[in-house]
Amino acid sequence: IANRLQLATGSTPLAVEQGLMKNIPKEKWSDAHHWLIWHGRKICKARKPACDICPLAPVCPSAEPLAGKDSSKGEK
Ligand code: SF4
């Protein structure tokens, strides 16, 4: 989730953890831990993220376009 949201990027759990610690204020670490776990269980699932119902989709660089609603190419 951190990679998808680009809160922290990295190829190992340690690299992502260090990135999160750098980008999230220390007083929010505990809350952020729970938020990310909850978000991963309920919406941003590993195999099939539910971008169509995700409240973070407008700001998420990894948001997938809704099926049949991609008007960027002018196709029907
Ligand atoms: S928009 Fe999609 S990829 Fe981005 S956080 Fe939400 S569910 Fe995950």
Side-chain angles (χ1 to χ4, degrees), residues 64-76:
E64 296 180 12
L66 298 176
K69 297 207 174 189
D70 182 8
S71 61
S72 63
K73 295 177 183 168
E75 299 173 359
K76 286 187 176 182

Side-chain angles (χ1 to χ4, degrees), residues 1 4-5 39 43-44 49-51 54 56-57 60 62-64:
I1 295 170
R4 285 179 176 161
L5 286 166
H39 192 60
I43 296 178
C44 193
C51 301
C54 180
L56 299 175
C60 178
S62 304
E64 296 180 12

